[in-house]
Amino acid sequence: MSFEKKRLDITDRVTGRFSAGQMNLFFEKEQIGTMSFGHNGNQVSLKNGYEEENHSFFQYADVLSKQDEKYVDCDEENGWC
């Protein structure tokens, strides 16, 4: 199996909850960051692996590069066991 990093658009699955003057941002019940509001505009702070760009949220995730790819380790016998 081989994995590659993909940038996934998760904007429509991010929710927010106000608390202590800021909005806590969640993705699938996990807090991924905060958004605070000020005179200079909104400030977004996200955990590693998440990004905000042009009012959209993205997650960087490892995904299989080939869905049908199989790997068999048979002690260097070229896939034969």
Side-chain angles (χ1 to χ4, degrees):
M1 285 188 284
S2 60
F3 292 94
E4 62 181 285
K5 287 276 187 203
K6 289 275 188 174
R7 184 178 186 218
L8 307 173
D9 186 347
I10 60 169
T11 304
D12 59 346
R13 295 169 30 200
V14 173
T15 59
R17 295 184 197 141
F18 280 108
S19 175
Q22 69 180 14
M23 183 180 293
N24 296 318
L25 302 171
F26 293 85
F27 174 64
E28 296 181 351
K29 299 181 182 181
E30 175 189 355
Q31 185 173 354
I32 62 169
T34 60
M35 179 184 292
S36 56
F37 308 95
H39 297 291
N40 297 336
N42 301 341
Q43 298 295 322
V44 178
S45 175
L46 298 173
K47 287 183 175 181
N48 285 338
Y50 296 92
E51 180 179 72
E52 184 268 336
E53 182 181 304
N54 297 325
H55 308 292
S56 295
F57 293 96
F58 299 93
Q59 177 188 37
Y60 288 93
D62 292 324
V63 295
L64 284 174
S65 60
K66 294 182 182 178
Q67 293 293 339
D68 295 334
E69 188 175 281
K70 305 285 188 258
Y71 176 76
V72 178
D73 182 8
C74 295
D75 300 321
E76 300 177 22
E77 294 181 19
N78 296 323
W80 295 98
C81 299

